[in-house]
Amino acid sequence: MTLYQPFLDHAISYMESRLDLMSYPIPEGFESKTATVGKGKNEATVVTTSYAFQTPKLRQIRAAHVQGGKALQVLNFVIFPQLNYDLPFFGADLVTLPGGHLIALDMQPLFRNDLAYQAKYTEPILPMFSGHQEHLSWGGDFPEEAQQFFSPAFLWTRPQETSVVETRVFAAFKDYLQAYLDFVEQAEPVRDSQGLQDIEAAQLRYLRYRAEKDPARGMFKRFYGEEWTEEYIHGFLFDLERKLSSVN
Ligand code: DBV
């Protein structure tokens, strides 16, 4: 069992228990991708597996699970709400590299500086955030231009010990997902055209940033080549622009 498999298993079974999960199409060739890296006794296999679902309120729920041995494990799990809900994004980037663990967990806001939005989607989870942050200290600098996409409840940490990932980080992951599905359950559709326009603009801003700055791009290119990587990023991981242009 690899490090993030229990996170993925929990997420899927918990979502199944609370949502009407339907499958979401994964483009051909992206469900699972394998590469052999390194030479001789350093040879290793890196497998990237993709998962995707949708519900009436959630446009795309998707996960990318990279498994390449003890020193290379990644679970990137993001939920993109439908464009007629003001829900934040659920964003989890759980990364283990030879240098250590890097954990980013948040409900990423559509409108970072809107106080009413913060009152609705950040304040209710601040006690939960503080409870976890006590055990998971701040992970230090991260790209300044990314700050606008994170909420004040951004859990960002670089645990030294794998056991901390298995216990504290796993507990935080479960709590954030539970709180997120509580928000989803309560969410009512937005109907006014200005509100809808603002949501679409905010989703596109977020999506373009993530597609353009994807910190995994270098890794994926090394394993699977440039063409596969760009198609994976724009055609699956961050696909909103493609989906919008195909219906309009
Ligand atoms: N990150 C992704 C996807 C990944 C992924 C789709 C499927 O968005 C993995 C894989 N993240 C990944 C890897 C690294 C990071 C780092 C492999 C390490 C890159 C490296 O060191 O070579 C949160 N992820 C990071 C970092 C941050 C995040 C802040 C450190 C980047 C840095 O220091 O430059 N989550 C990530 C992020 C946003 C987010 C940037 C922006 C909105 O939601």
Side-chain angles (χ1 to χ4, degrees):
M1 175 81 83
T2 55
L3 186 57
Y4 299 115
Q5 189 69 51
F7 291 67
L8 183 60
D9 292 346
H10 167 79
I12 293 173
S13 63
Y14 185 64
M15 290 190 300
E16 275 172 343
S17 77
R18 290 195 57 179
L19 301 169
D20 289 318
L21 274 192
M22 297 170 286
S23 72
Y24 181 96
I26 300 173
E28 216 181 307
F30 296 89
E31 302 92 340
S32 179
K33 181 75 175 169
T34 301
T36 305
V37 299
K39 290 237 150 56
K41 67 172 172 28
N42 292 322
E43 199 173 279
T45 302
V46 182
V47 184
T48 297
T49 319
S50 302
Y51 301 82
F53 308 94
Q54 57 190 319
T55 79
K57 292 182 180 178
L58 302 171
R59 186 187 70 80
Q60 188 201 33
I61 300 165
R62 80 355 165 233
H65 190 200
V66 183
Q67 297 172 93
K70 243 188 155 54
L72 175 60
Q73 294 292 325
V74 178
L75 180 64
N76 182 268
F77 175 48
V78 182
I79 300 178
F80 300 93
Q82 301 286 5
L83 299 185
N84 60 335
Y85 288 88
D86 72 354
L87 287 161
F89 305 95
F90 181 88
D93 203 11
L94 313 173
V95 180
T96 299
L97 297 174
H101 308 290
L102 176 161
I103 303 294
L105 189 55
D106 197 13
M107 297 199 201
Q108 300 187 278
L110 290 175
F111 310 109
R112 175 69 173 81
N113 299 318
D114 179 328
L115 292 177
Y117 193 87
Q118 278 198 22
K120 189 172 177 184
Y121 288 125
T122 299
E123 278 166 31
I125 62 165
L126 282 178
M128 176 189 78
F129 162 71
S130 307
H132 289 296
Q133 211 200 20
E134 262 180 57
H135 308 284
L136 296 166
S137 60
W138 180 245
D141 287 349
F142 67 100
E144 187 169 329
E145 52 179 355
Q147 285 177 27
Q148 60 177 302
F149 298 109
F150 291 107
S151 83
F154 177 32
L155 203 58
W156 167 239
T157 187
R158 298 171 186 269
Q160 301 281 329
E161 304 290 337
T162 299
S163 62
V164 171
V165 176
E166 292 166 335
T167 56
R168 300 285 187 192
V169 173
F170 193 27
F173 179 81
K174 291 183 203 165
D175 278 357
Y176 271 69
L177 188 59
Q178 174 173 354
Y180 187 79
L181 294 197
D182 292 343
F183 283 141
V184 172
E185 201 168 278
Q186 291 155 22
E188 296 288 344
V190 171
R191 299 183 195 281
D192 69 291
S193 64
Q194 186 59 53
L196 291 167
Q197 274 179 40
D198 293 346
I199 290 168
E200 180 171 323
Q203 282 231 12
L204 283 170
R205 194 161 59 233
Y206 174 83
L207 185 108
R208 287 182 182 131
Y209 178 81
R210 298 240 11 208
E212 190 183 327
K213 301 291 159 124
D214 190 342
R217 183 178 258 108
M219 175 185 87
F220 281 137
K221 277 189 184 173
R222 262 184 292 122
F223 299 153
Y224 308 125
E226 170 145 26
E227 197 184 333
W228 185 92
T229 298
E230 293 306 323
E231 195 51 34
Y232 192 50
I233 290 172
H234 295 284
F236 178 64
L237 291 175
F238 303 106
D239 70 355
L240 178 62
E241 283 197 284
R242 292 260 185 100
K243 297 284 169 179
L244 285 176
S245 62
S246 69
V247 291
N248 289 337

